[in-house]
Each structure stands twice: as structure tokens, then as C-alpha cells.
Amino acid sequence: MNSAMTFAVAAVASVALLAGCATSQESRTKQSSNTLSTPSTTPPQGKRPALSTTKPTKPVKIAIIAIENNPFFGQVKTGYDAVKPKIEAAGGTVDWINAGTEVTVDSVGDAINAAVADGYDAIAALMPGDGICTYVRKANAEGVLLAAYNGNASCAQSSGALFFHGQDLRAAGMQAGKLMCTATKGLASATKPGVIGVETESFTFQALEERRLGFLDGLKQNCPWVTQSGGGVEYQESTDRVASVTRDYMTSTKNLVGIYVTGGNPQVAAQTVASAGKTSTVKVIGFDFTAENVAQIKAGNMYAAIGQDPYGQSYDTIVWLYNALVDKQKPSPDYFIPTAAVVGTQANITTVSAAT
């Protein structure tokens, strides 16, 4: 093929591609958080929102972007699975998009860009850190409604995000700190200081940093003689790393009385402590009522976990996005719509885990 022919084919392909993109964007129900009306009341906490009876003028597409690196997201997907047929019966579609196993701005941001390009009208996404706001602004500029769930970014609202549905992360961390003070009451005191090994999935994931800093605030307020060992350790998504870090804390940290895990897979820390025969002297606290965590709490290997309604983080968020698209109204006058924080211990874990 000569160069002139090659150029002509490329030009036609380029025009077709641009035409395809234009068609995709024209078919989208363009919205903006700034153009939606605001309700007078906040949605009741813990109550599942009802799907609007307003019929869409044309089919709407919603995407929820997730990271699949621990059992927690299996529970999030359960909420998605439950709401998907309801959205479809109402005349819309909703898709689960797996952005990989690492909670990073690039992985989630690339998934947001792809969803925008694919013509989705609304997107629910994690907010790994403030770098994600570049992607939020781009989506908002294209008329795509975007909501944060599970983790927020400080710039998300000002960048156009419609709402954030998830745990009050700093408060949950403080609650975990207070629980650790209770758990270690007989192990540490003002005359016998104790040390906690803090394990975080990622220091750059803002949500987990809020939990870590809140935890330190909780210790300081309730038992200042119990402190963090060093600056904490990052384990990313590796369960092997959780186990090795826990073993390192037990073998090298003087006066260790507890392990606090800010992210996924705290059951591994509990199992590691139990294998070392130290459940009576090293207390483990983490998050979520996954089947793995529930088993460790029942066995006495994990002192407590704090739930954050993973089912609702997907179910509620998707319903609110759908309703916003068809009713042209925000779900709440407030940007932050918190989930209920429930504490599960050996005394009540059977009851509270059954309710999630």
C-alpha cells in the first residue's frame, strides 16, 4: 500500500473513531452535581433507599469501580448483585468494574477514564488519594455523575463528586483506639507502658491513613501509656506480608500488647498471633465482618472488628446515583452520607455479623 493510500485509510479510521466517541457522549444523560436540586433532609442511616419510580427518558448506565484484593470487596459485591436486577427492571444497567488489586490513583483513575469513554452516565468509585481528583474533574466536565464510596479524598467534593458514602474514617480509627485501650487494660498501664504494632495496607490511601491517625488519637485520649511502635508498617495487599510483619512485631518489639490493622485481611494477623500462642497478651483489632474475621473473633484470636456496611456501600450508592439521574435530585443536603459503625466482639459477633 502506498503512502497516500495509508494516509487516506488512517484519516477515515480517525473520523470514524471520533464519530463513535461523539455518538457515545451524545447518548449519555449529561448531569452535573451543580444542576441537581437538593433535598431538605438526610437519608436515614442504615435504611436501604428505595429506587425511584420515575422512568428514565432513555436507558441509563451506571458503573461501580472496585479493587478486589481482600474478602471485604466480596461483601461489597453482594450489595451490587442485589441491586443490579432492580436497576435493570427499572430500565437501566449497572456494571461491576474490577480495577485490579492495588488501591492506587492510577488504577482507579484509569478505570474512571475508561468508564467515561464507554458512555456511563454515573460512576461510583474509591478515592485512593487527592490525585484522583483530576479524574473526578474530567468526569464531571463530561457530564458524568461521580460518587465516592468506601474512601473519600479531601478534594473530591470541590472537584464535582456528588456525595461520599462510607465510614466516618477518623472516628472509626478513634473507636478502634478506645477498643484497644479496653482490650489491653490488664496488659499495660501508666506504670507499665505498652506498644501497638500498626499495619496499614497503604500509607498513600487516604482512607486508611485517617483510620491510622484516628487510632493514635484514640490511644492518646484513652490510654496515653499505649503507643505505636515506630511509624507503622505498610503491607499493600499481601497476606504473606501481614503474617511476616506480625511475626516481626512479636519477636522484636518490647512490651507489645496489640496489633492494629487498618485495611484488609486482619484475620491473618489474628491467625499469626494465635499460632505463636500469644492471644492472651497480644490483642488484634481490625475492620469488617468478613467470614474470616468473624471466625477469628469467635475463636478468641481477634479482640474486635468494626463494621462499615459494605453491602450498603454498593447498594445504597448505586440506588442514589440512579435516582439522581432520573429525578435530577441529590440524595442528601450533605456531601458525606455515613454508614453505621458497629463493633463486633466475641460477645456479640454472631448477632451483628448476621445483620450485615
Coordinates of all heavy atoms in Angstrom, one line a residue, residues 43-100:
P43 N -30.8 11.2 54.3 CA -31.4 9.8 54.3 C -31.1 9.2 55.7 O -30.1 9.4 56.3 CB -30.6 9.1 53.2 CG -29.4 9.9 52.9 CD -29.7 11.3 53.3
P44 N -32.1 8.4 56.2 CA -31.9 7.7 57.5 C -30.7 6.7 57.4 O -30.7 5.9 56.5 CB -33.2 7.1 57.7 CG -33.9 6.9 56.4 CD -33.4 8.1 55.6
Q45 N -29.9 6.8 58.4 CA -28.7 5.9 58.4 C -29.1 4.4 58.6 O -29.9 4.1 59.5 CB -27.7 6.3 59.6 CG -26.4 5.6 59.5 CD -25.5 6.1 60.6 OE1 -25.8 5.9 61.8 NE2 -24.3 6.7 60.2
G46 N -28.5 3.6 57.8 CA -28.8 2.1 58.0 C -30.0 1.6 57.2 O -30.3 0.4 57.2
K47 N -30.9 2.5 56.7 CA -32.1 2.1 56.0 C -31.8 2.1 54.5 O -31.3 3.1 54.0 CB -33.2 3.1 56.3 CG -34.6 2.6 55.7 CD -35.7 3.6 56.1 CE -37.0 3.1 55.5 NZ -38.1 4.0 55.9
R48 N -32.1 1.1 53.8 CA -31.9 1.0 52.4 C -32.8 1.9 51.6 O -34.0 2.0 51.8 CB -32.1 -0.5 51.9 CG -31.2 -1.5 52.5 CD -29.8 -1.4 52.0 NE -28.9 -2.2 52.9 CZ -27.9 -1.7 53.6 NH1 -27.6 -0.5 53.6 NH2 -27.2 -2.6 54.3
P49 N -32.2 2.7 50.7 CA -33.0 3.7 49.9 C -33.9 2.9 48.9 O -33.5 1.9 48.4 CB -32.0 4.6 49.3 CG -30.8 3.7 49.2 CD -30.8 2.8 50.4
A50 N -35.0 3.5 48.6 CA -35.9 2.9 47.6 C -35.5 3.5 46.2 O -35.2 4.6 46.1 CB -37.4 3.3 47.9
L51 N -35.7 2.6 45.2 CA -35.4 3.0 43.9 C -36.6 3.9 43.4 O -37.7 3.6 43.6 CB -35.3 1.8 43.0 CG -34.5 1.9 41.7 CD1 -33.1 2.1 42.0 CD2 -34.7 0.6 40.9
S52 N -36.2 5.0 42.7 CA -37.2 5.9 42.2 C -38.2 5.2 41.2 O -37.8 4.3 40.5 CB -36.6 7.1 41.5 OG -37.5 7.9 40.9
T53 N -39.4 5.6 41.3 CA -40.4 5.1 40.3 C -40.5 5.9 39.0 O -41.2 5.5 38.1 CB -41.8 5.1 40.9 OG1 -42.2 6.4 41.3 CG2 -41.9 4.2 42.1
T54 N -39.7 7.0 39.0 CA -39.6 7.8 37.8 C -38.9 7.0 36.7 O -37.8 6.4 36.9 CB -38.8 9.1 38.0 OG1 -39.4 9.8 39.1 CG2 -38.7 9.9 36.7
K55 N -39.5 6.9 35.5 CA -38.9 6.2 34.4 C -37.9 7.0 33.7 O -38.2 8.2 33.4 CB -40.0 5.7 33.4 CG -41.0 4.6 34.0 CD -40.2 3.4 34.5 CE -41.2 2.4 35.1 NZ -40.5 1.1 35.5
P56 N -36.7 6.5 33.4 CA -35.7 7.3 32.6 C -36.2 7.6 31.2 O -36.9 6.7 30.6 CB -34.5 6.4 32.6 CG -35.0 5.0 32.8 CD -36.2 5.1 33.7
T57 N -35.9 8.7 30.7 CA -36.3 9.1 29.3 C -35.5 8.3 28.3 O -36.0 8.1 27.2 CB -36.1 10.6 29.1 OG1 -34.7 10.9 29.4 CG2 -37.0 11.4 30.0
K58 N -34.4 7.8 28.7 CA -33.6 6.9 27.9 C -32.7 6.1 28.8 O -32.5 6.4 30.0 CB -32.7 7.7 26.9 CG -31.8 8.8 27.5 CD -31.1 9.5 26.4 CE -30.3 10.7 26.9 NZ -29.7 11.5 25.8
P59 N -32.3 4.9 28.3 CA -31.5 4.0 29.2 C -30.3 4.7 29.9 O -29.6 5.5 29.3 CB -31.0 2.9 28.3 CG -32.0 2.9 27.2 CD -32.4 4.4 27.0
V60 N -30.1 4.4 31.2 CA -29.0 5.0 31.9 C -28.0 3.9 32.3 O -28.4 2.7 32.5 CB -29.5 5.7 33.2 CG1 -30.3 6.9 32.8 CG2 -30.2 4.8 34.1
K61 N -26.8 4.2 32.3 CA -25.7 3.3 32.5 C -24.9 3.7 33.8 O -24.5 4.9 33.8 CB -24.7 3.2 31.4 CG -25.3 2.5 30.1 CD -24.3 2.6 29.0 CE -23.0 1.8 29.3 NZ -22.0 1.8 28.2
I62 N -24.7 2.8 34.7 CA -24.0 3.1 36.0 C -22.9 2.1 36.1 O -23.1 0.9 35.8 CB -24.9 3.1 37.2 CG1 -26.1 4.1 37.0 CG2 -24.2 3.3 38.5 CD1 -27.2 3.9 38.1
A63 N -21.7 2.6 36.6 CA -20.6 1.7 36.8 C -20.2 1.8 38.3 O -20.2 3.0 38.8 CB -19.4 2.0 35.9
I64 N -19.8 0.8 38.9 CA -19.1 0.8 40.2 C -17.7 0.2 40.1 O -17.6 -0.9 39.6 CB -20.0 0.1 41.3 CG1 -19.2 0.2 42.7 CG2 -20.3 -1.3 41.0 CD1 -20.1 -0.1 43.9
I65 N -16.7 1.0 40.5 CA -15.3 0.6 40.3 C -14.8 0.1 41.7 O -15.0 0.8 42.7 CB -14.5 1.8 39.8 CG1 -15.0 2.2 38.4 CG2 -13.0 1.4 39.8 CD1 -14.4 3.5 38.0
A66 N -14.2 -1.1 41.6 CA -13.8 -1.7 42.9 C -12.4 -2.3 42.7 O -11.8 -2.4 41.6 CB -14.7 -2.9 43.3
I67 N -11.7 -2.5 43.9 CA -10.4 -3.2 43.9 C -10.7 -4.5 44.6 O -11.2 -4.6 45.7 CB -9.4 -2.4 44.8 CG1 -9.2 -1.0 44.1 CG2 -8.1 -3.1 44.9 CD1 -8.4 -1.1 42.8
E68 N -10.3 -5.6 44.0 CA -10.5 -6.9 44.6 C -9.2 -7.5 45.1 O -8.5 -8.2 44.4 CB -11.1 -7.8 43.5 CG -12.5 -7.3 43.1 CD -13.2 -8.3 42.1 OE1 -12.7 -9.4 41.9 OE2 -14.2 -7.9 41.5
N69 N -8.9 -7.2 46.4 CA -7.7 -7.7 47.0 C -7.9 -8.3 48.4 O -6.9 -8.6 49.1 CB -6.6 -6.6 47.0 CG -7.0 -5.4 47.9 OD1 -8.0 -5.4 48.6 ND2 -6.2 -4.4 47.9
N70 N -9.2 -8.3 48.9 CA -9.4 -9.0 50.2 C -10.9 -9.3 50.3 O -11.7 -8.8 49.5 CB -9.0 -8.0 51.3 CG -9.8 -6.8 51.4 OD1 -10.9 -6.8 52.0 ND2 -9.3 -5.6 51.0
P71 N -11.3 -10.1 51.2 CA -12.7 -10.6 51.3 C -13.7 -9.4 51.5 O -14.9 -9.6 51.1 CB -12.7 -11.5 52.6 CG -11.3 -11.9 52.7 CD -10.5 -10.8 52.3
F72 N -13.3 -8.3 51.9 CA -14.3 -7.2 52.1 C -15.0 -6.8 50.8 O -16.2 -6.6 50.8 CB -13.5 -5.9 52.6 CG -14.3 -4.6 52.6 CD1 -15.3 -4.4 53.5 CD2 -14.1 -3.7 51.5 CE1 -16.0 -3.2 53.4 CE2 -14.8 -2.6 51.5 CZ -15.8 -2.3 52.4
F73 N -14.3 -6.8 49.7 CA -14.9 -6.4 48.5 C -15.9 -7.5 47.9 O -16.7 -7.2 47.1 CB -13.9 -6.0 47.4 CG -13.4 -4.6 47.6 CD1 -12.2 -4.3 48.2 CD2 -14.2 -3.6 47.2 CE1 -11.8 -3.0 48.4 CE2 -13.9 -2.3 47.4 CZ -12.6 -2.0 48.0
G74 N -15.8 -8.7 48.4 CA -16.8 -9.7 48.2 C -18.1 -9.3 48.8 O -19.2 -9.6 48.2
Q75 N -18.0 -8.7 50.0 CA -19.3 -8.3 50.6 C -19.8 -7.0 49.9 O -21.0 -6.9 49.8 CB -19.0 -7.9 52.1 CG -18.6 -9.2 52.9 CD -18.4 -8.8 54.4 OE1 -17.8 -7.9 54.7 NE2 -19.0 -9.6 55.2
V76 N -18.9 -6.2 49.4 CA -19.4 -5.0 48.6 C -20.1 -5.5 47.4 O -21.2 -5.0 47.0 CB -18.2 -4.1 48.2 CG1 -18.7 -3.0 47.3 CG2 -17.6 -3.5 49.5
K77 N -19.6 -6.5 46.8 CA -20.2 -7.0 45.5 C -21.6 -7.7 45.8 O -22.4 -7.7 44.9 CB -19.3 -8.1 44.9 CG -19.7 -8.4 43.4 CD -18.6 -9.2 42.7 CE -18.9 -9.4 41.2 NZ -20.1 -10.1 41.0
T78 N -21.8 -8.2 47.0 CA -23.1 -8.7 47.3 C -24.2 -7.7 47.2 O -25.3 -7.9 46.7 CB -23.1 -9.3 48.7 OG1 -22.1 -10.3 48.8 CG2 -24.4 -9.9 49.1
G79 N -23.9 -6.5 47.7 CA -24.8 -5.4 47.5 C -25.1 -5.0 46.1 O -26.2 -4.7 45.7
Y80 N -24.0 -5.0 45.3 CA -24.2 -4.8 43.8 C -25.0 -5.8 43.2 O -25.9 -5.5 42.4 CB -22.8 -4.8 43.2 CG -22.8 -5.0 41.7 CD1 -23.0 -4.0 40.8 CD2 -22.5 -6.3 41.2 CE1 -23.1 -4.3 39.4 CE2 -22.5 -6.6 39.9 CZ -22.8 -5.6 39.0 OH -22.8 -5.9 37.6
D81 N -24.8 -7.1 43.5 CA -25.5 -8.2 43.0 C -27.0 -8.1 43.3 O -27.9 -8.5 42.5 CB -25.0 -9.6 43.5 CG -23.7 -9.9 42.9 OD1 -23.3 -9.4 41.8 OD2 -22.9 -10.7 43.6
A82 N -27.3 -7.6 44.5 CA -28.7 -7.4 44.9 C -29.4 -6.3 44.2 O -30.6 -6.4 43.8 CB -28.8 -7.2 46.4
V83 N -28.7 -5.2 43.9 CA -29.4 -4.1 43.3 C -29.4 -4.1 41.7 O -30.3 -3.5 41.1 CB -28.7 -2.7 43.8 CG1 -27.4 -2.5 43.0 CG2 -29.7 -1.6 43.6
K84 N -28.5 -4.9 41.2 CA -28.4 -5.0 39.7 C -29.7 -5.3 39.0 O -30.1 -4.6 38.1 CB -27.3 -6.0 39.3 CG -27.1 -6.1 37.8 CD -25.9 -7.0 37.5 CE -25.8 -7.3 36.0 NZ -25.3 -6.0 35.3
P85 N -30.4 -6.4 39.4 CA -31.7 -6.7 38.7 C -32.7 -5.7 38.9 O -33.6 -5.5 38.0 CB -32.1 -8.1 39.3 CG -31.3 -8.2 40.6 CD -30.1 -7.4 40.4
K86 N -32.7 -4.9 40.0 CA -33.7 -3.9 40.2 C -33.5 -2.7 39.3 O -34.4 -2.1 38.8 CB -33.6 -3.4 41.7 CG -34.0 -4.5 42.7 CD -33.9 -3.9 44.1 CE -34.3 -5.0 45.1 NZ -34.3 -4.5 46.5
I87 N -32.2 -2.4 39.1 CA -31.8 -1.3 38.2 C -32.2 -1.7 36.7 O -32.8 -0.9 36.0 CB -30.3 -1.0 38.2 CG1 -29.9 -0.4 39.6 CG2 -29.9 0.0 37.1 CD1 -30.4 0.9 39.9
E88 N -32.0 -3.0 36.4 CA -32.3 -3.4 35.0 C -33.8 -3.5 34.8 O -34.3 -3.1 33.7 CB -31.7 -4.8 34.8 CG -30.2 -4.8 34.8 CD -29.6 -6.2 34.7 OE1 -30.3 -7.2 35.0 OE2 -28.4 -6.3 34.4
A89 N -34.6 -3.8 35.9 CA -36.0 -3.9 35.7 C -36.6 -2.5 35.6 O -37.7 -2.3 35.0 CB -36.7 -4.5 37.0
A90 N -35.9 -1.5 36.1 CA -36.3 -0.1 36.0 C -35.9 0.6 34.7 O -36.3 1.7 34.4 CB -35.7 0.7 37.2
G91 N -35.1 -0.1 33.9 CA -34.7 0.4 32.6 C -33.3 0.9 32.5 O -33.0 1.7 31.6
G92 N -32.5 0.5 33.4 CA -31.1 0.9 33.4 C -30.1 -0.3 33.4 O -30.6 -1.4 33.4
T93 N -28.9 0.0 33.5 CA -27.9 -1.1 33.6 C -26.8 -0.6 34.6 O -26.6 0.6 34.8 CB -27.1 -1.4 32.3 OG1 -26.5 -0.2 31.8 CG2 -28.1 -1.8 31.2
V94 N -26.2 -1.6 35.3 CA -25.1 -1.3 36.2 C -24.1 -2.4 36.1 O -24.4 -3.5 36.0 CB -25.6 -1.1 37.7 CG1 -26.3 -2.4 38.2 CG2 -24.5 -0.8 38.6
D95 N -22.8 -2.0 36.0 CA -21.7 -2.9 35.8 C -20.7 -2.8 36.9 O -20.4 -1.7 37.4 CB -21.1 -2.7 34.5 CG -22.0 -2.9 33.3 OD1 -22.6 -4.0 33.3 OD2 -22.1 -2.1 32.4
W96 N -20.1 -3.9 37.3 CA -19.1 -4.0 38.3 C -17.7 -4.0 37.5 O -17.5 -4.8 36.7 CB -19.2 -5.3 39.1 CG -18.1 -5.6 40.1 CD1 -16.9 -6.2 39.9 CD2 -18.1 -5.2 41.5 NE1 -16.2 -6.3 41.0 CE2 -16.9 -5.7 42.0 CE3 -19.0 -4.6 42.3 CZ2 -16.6 -5.6 43.4 CZ3 -18.7 -4.4 43.6 CH2 -17.5 -4.9 44.2
I97 N -16.9 -3.0 37.8 CA -15.6 -2.9 37.1 C -14.5 -3.1 38.1 O -14.3 -2.4 39.1 CB -15.5 -1.5 36.5 CG1 -16.5 -1.3 35.4 CG2 -14.1 -1.3 35.8 CD1 -16.6 0.1 34.8
N98 N -13.7 -4.2 37.8 CA -12.6 -4.5 38.7 C -11.3 -3.7 38.2 O -10.9 -4.0 37.1 CB -12.3 -6.0 38.6 CG -11.1 -6.4 39.5 OD1 -10.6 -5.6 40.3 ND2 -10.7 -7.7 39.3
A99 N -10.8 -2.8 39.0 CA -9.7 -2.0 38.7 C -8.4 -2.7 39.1 O -7.3 -2.0 39.1 CB -9.8 -0.6 39.3
G100 N -8.4 -3.9 39.5 CA -7.2 -4.6 39.8 C -7.1 -4.9 41.3 O -8.1 -5.0 42.0

